Amino acid sequence: MSEAFDCAKCSESLYGRKYIQTDNGPYCVPCYDNTFANTCAECQQLIGHDSRELFYEDRHFHEGCFRCCRCQRSLADEPFTCQDSELLCNDCYCSAFSSQCSACGETVMPGSRKLEYGGQTWHEHCFLCSGCEQPLGSRSFVPDKGAHYCVPCYENKFAPRCARCSKTLTQGGVTYRDQPWHRECLVCTGCQTPLAGQQFTSRDDDPYCVACFGELFAPKCSSCKRPITGLGGGKYVSFEDRHWHHSCFACARCSTSLVGQGFVPDGDQVLCQGCSQAGP
């Protein structure tokens, strides 16, 4: 009489049947699966001993059940992401949760280098200067009406240019004859003294400091021989081809001011009426 060879669970004979040996004895295949097999987290069916089983975060899956929850692509040999307990292939994850590059329209893959500005996202290599078309990277840039410029391109394209040297004004500057100038470029045509913040005048569109303008172009006072510039509200008196500062227009004998008074020319001098009537 042959020795008993039965399933450790259901006690049915295993002679002529497929069985699985365990530390607790042999099991027929149905009893082994019912006792030891894991339940698939997707289909809720047992994962049989002869099935390929996949394990992820305390969950077990049939190979065919381990799929992207959106496109149903098998994830058995594919990179994937878990989002709110749902398994997603990389393509579906990027489409659903990654931003698109504002330049090329392609997905900005998670972990890739990117730049964000004004609610928009770019691949690092797609964020280019609208002028020179070089990547802006971490460089400073200036936005303008949807475009982005590196600082040199923006200055060359939009910054005002000095009326004298034609170079761009990046900061400061002064205005003369409705044109921008570098402060260091606005100098006296005569002595090259900087004129920014100083009182000055011009002749034939050329700027001059008060001193140079007086020496070169202003009429000279017939009394003190100094220039009469008329700047700063200075008043003067003219008679024929002679000129006087208000303070210098006085009787040559008694020094009485003749401003607004009658006077008598006497050669190179002017006299008040009293001194003129008194004779030499």
Side-chain angles (χ1 to χ4, degrees), residues 2 4 9 11 16 23-24 48 60 66 84 86 98 110 120 152 194 203 211 222 254 259 264:
S2 61
K9 180 71 181 291
S11 300
D23 293 339
N24 296 324
H60 301 264
F66 195 62
D84 297 331
E86 292 185 333
S98 296
Q120 294 179 292
R203 184 179 179 89
S222 296
C254 68
V259 176
V264 177

Short mmCIF file of all heavy atoms in Angstrom, two decimals, residues 2 4 9 11 16 23-24 48 60 66 84 86 98 110 120 152 194 203 211 222 254 259 264:
data_model
loop_
_atom_site.label_atom_id
_atom_site.label_comp_id
_atom_site.label_asym_id
_atom_site.label_seq_id
_atom_site.Cartn_x
_atom_site.Cartn_y
_atom_site.Cartn_z
N SER A 2 0.60 2.24 -0.95
CA SER A 2 1.46 3.40 -1.10
C SER A 2 1.22 4.40 0.04
O SER A 2 0.15 4.46 0.63
CB SER A 2 1.21 4.09 -2.45
OG SER A 2 -0.12 4.52 -2.53
N ALA A 4 0.64 7.95 1.87
CA ALA A 4 -0.28 9.07 1.55
C ALA A 4 0.53 10.31 1.14
O ALA A 4 1.55 10.63 1.75
CB ALA A 4 -1.16 9.38 2.75
N LYS A 9 -3.70 21.44 2.72
CA LYS A 9 -4.87 22.29 3.01
C LYS A 9 -6.17 21.51 2.83
O LYS A 9 -6.98 21.44 3.75
CB LYS A 9 -4.85 23.51 2.09
CG LYS A 9 -6.02 24.47 2.29
CD LYS A 9 -5.89 25.21 3.62
CE LYS A 9 -7.04 26.17 3.88
NZ LYS A 9 -7.00 27.32 2.97
N SER A 11 -6.35 18.22 1.80
CA SER A 11 -6.13 16.79 2.05
C SER A 11 -6.42 15.91 0.86
O SER A 11 -6.46 14.68 1.00
CB SER A 11 -6.98 16.32 3.26
OG SER A 11 -6.61 17.04 4.43
N GLY A 16 -0.28 12.39 -9.25
CA GLY A 16 -0.67 12.70 -10.62
C GLY A 16 -1.13 14.14 -10.81
O GLY A 16 -1.57 14.50 -11.90
N ASP A 23 7.27 24.98 3.29
CA ASP A 23 7.79 24.50 4.58
C ASP A 23 6.72 23.76 5.37
O ASP A 23 7.04 22.95 6.25
CB ASP A 23 8.32 25.67 5.40
CG ASP A 23 9.56 26.29 4.79
OD1 ASP A 23 10.23 25.61 3.97
OD2 ASP A 23 9.85 27.48 5.09
N ASN A 24 5.48 24.07 5.10
CA ASN A 24 4.37 23.43 5.82
C ASN A 24 3.82 22.22 5.08
O ASN A 24 2.78 21.67 5.47
CB ASN A 24 3.23 24.43 6.03
CG ASN A 24 3.66 25.59 6.92
OD1 ASN A 24 4.44 25.39 7.86
ND2 ASN A 24 3.17 26.80 6.63
N GLY A 48 -1.97 34.58 -9.37
CA GLY A 48 -1.58 33.17 -9.32
C GLY A 48 -0.08 32.97 -9.30
O GLY A 48 0.70 33.86 -9.66
N HIS A 60 0.09 45.18 -4.78
CA HIS A 60 0.50 44.12 -5.69
C HIS A 60 -0.36 44.20 -6.95
O HIS A 60 -1.56 44.52 -6.90
CB HIS A 60 0.34 42.75 -5.02
CG HIS A 60 1.14 42.62 -3.76
ND1 HIS A 60 2.40 42.05 -3.71
CD2 HIS A 60 0.86 43.00 -2.48
CE1 HIS A 60 2.85 42.11 -2.48
NE2 HIS A 60 1.93 42.67 -1.69
N PHE A 66 -0.81 46.45 -14.22
CA PHE A 66 0.04 47.57 -13.83
C PHE A 66 0.15 48.52 -15.02
O PHE A 66 1.10 48.48 -15.81
CB PHE A 66 1.42 47.04 -13.40
CG PHE A 66 2.25 48.04 -12.66
CD1 PHE A 66 1.82 48.56 -11.43
CD2 PHE A 66 3.46 48.48 -13.17
CE1 PHE A 66 2.60 49.46 -10.73
CE2 PHE A 66 4.23 49.39 -12.47
CZ PHE A 66 3.79 49.89 -11.26
N ASP A 84 -1.60 61.18 -6.58
CA ASP A 84 -2.85 60.92 -5.83
C ASP A 84 -3.28 59.47 -5.95
O ASP A 84 -4.44 59.15 -6.25
CB ASP A 84 -3.96 61.85 -6.33
CG ASP A 84 -3.66 63.31 -6.09
OD1 ASP A 84 -2.94 63.60 -5.12
OD2 ASP A 84 -4.11 64.14 -6.90
N GLU A 86 -2.79 57.38 -8.18
CA GLU A 86 -2.98 56.92 -9.54
C GLU A 86 -1.63 56.79 -10.23
O GLU A 86 -0.75 57.66 -10.09
CB GLU A 86 -3.88 57.87 -10.33
CG GLU A 86 -5.31 57.91 -9.86
CD GLU A 86 -6.18 58.77 -10.76
OE1 GLU A 86 -5.62 59.70 -11.39
OE2 GLU A 86 -7.39 58.52 -10.84
N SER A 98 2.55 68.98 -16.10
CA SER A 98 3.71 69.81 -16.45
C SER A 98 3.27 70.96 -17.34
O SER A 98 2.27 70.88 -18.04
CB SER A 98 4.77 68.96 -17.16
OG SER A 98 5.26 67.96 -16.29
N PRO A 110 9.49 67.21 -16.09
CA PRO A 110 9.86 67.36 -14.68
C PRO A 110 11.36 67.11 -14.49
O PRO A 110 11.92 66.18 -15.07
CB PRO A 110 9.03 66.28 -13.98
CG PRO A 110 7.88 66.03 -14.91
CD PRO A 110 8.42 66.21 -16.29
N GLN A 120 4.59 82.39 -17.19
CA GLN A 120 4.96 81.56 -18.32
C GLN A 120 6.21 80.75 -18.00
O GLN A 120 6.97 81.08 -17.10
CB GLN A 120 5.22 82.41 -19.56
CG GLN A 120 3.98 83.13 -20.08
CD GLN A 120 4.31 83.99 -21.29
OE1 GLN A 120 5.01 84.99 -21.18
NE2 GLN A 120 3.80 83.62 -22.45
N PRO A 152 22.32 94.68 -23.04
CA PRO A 152 22.96 95.38 -24.17
C PRO A 152 22.03 95.57 -25.36
O PRO A 152 22.01 96.63 -25.97
CB PRO A 152 24.15 94.47 -24.52
CG PRO A 152 24.44 93.74 -23.24
CD PRO A 152 23.12 93.52 -22.61
N PRO A 194 32.48 121.32 -17.72
CA PRO A 194 31.16 120.69 -17.68
C PRO A 194 30.08 121.73 -17.38
O PRO A 194 30.25 122.58 -16.50
CB PRO A 194 31.29 119.66 -16.56
CG PRO A 194 32.75 119.37 -16.48
CD PRO A 194 33.43 120.66 -16.81
N ARG A 203 25.44 129.66 -28.77
CA ARG A 203 25.56 130.43 -29.99
C ARG A 203 25.70 129.44 -31.15
O ARG A 203 26.57 128.58 -31.12
CB ARG A 203 26.77 131.37 -29.94
CG ARG A 203 26.88 132.29 -31.17
CD ARG A 203 28.09 133.20 -31.03
NE ARG A 203 28.25 134.07 -32.19
CZ ARG A 203 27.69 135.27 -32.32
NH1 ARG A 203 26.92 135.74 -31.35
NH2 ARG A 203 27.90 136.01 -33.40
N ALA A 211 31.30 132.66 -18.79
CA ALA A 211 32.57 133.38 -18.95
C ALA A 211 33.04 133.37 -20.39
O ALA A 211 33.44 134.40 -20.95
CB ALA A 211 33.62 132.75 -18.04
N SER A 222 30.84 150.01 -21.88
CA SER A 222 31.67 151.18 -22.21
C SER A 222 32.31 151.81 -20.98
O SER A 222 33.25 152.60 -21.10
CB SER A 222 30.82 152.24 -22.94
OG SER A 222 30.37 151.74 -24.18
N CYS A 254 29.51 163.30 -11.81
CA CYS A 254 28.96 163.21 -10.44
C CYS A 254 28.55 161.80 -10.05
O CYS A 254 28.11 161.57 -8.92
CB CYS A 254 27.77 164.15 -10.30
SG CYS A 254 26.33 163.66 -11.29
N VAL A 259 20.06 155.75 -15.37
CA VAL A 259 19.04 154.79 -15.81
C VAL A 259 17.67 155.45 -15.69
O VAL A 259 17.28 155.93 -14.61
CB VAL A 259 19.09 153.50 -14.98
CG1 VAL A 259 17.96 152.57 -15.40
CG2 VAL A 259 20.44 152.82 -15.14
N VAL A 264 23.30 163.45 -21.57
CA VAL A 264 23.90 164.15 -22.72
C VAL A 264 25.22 163.45 -23.03
O VAL A 264 26.09 163.34 -22.15
CB VAL A 264 24.15 165.64 -22.40
CG1 VAL A 264 24.86 166.31 -23.59
CG2 VAL A 264 22.85 166.34 -22.07
#
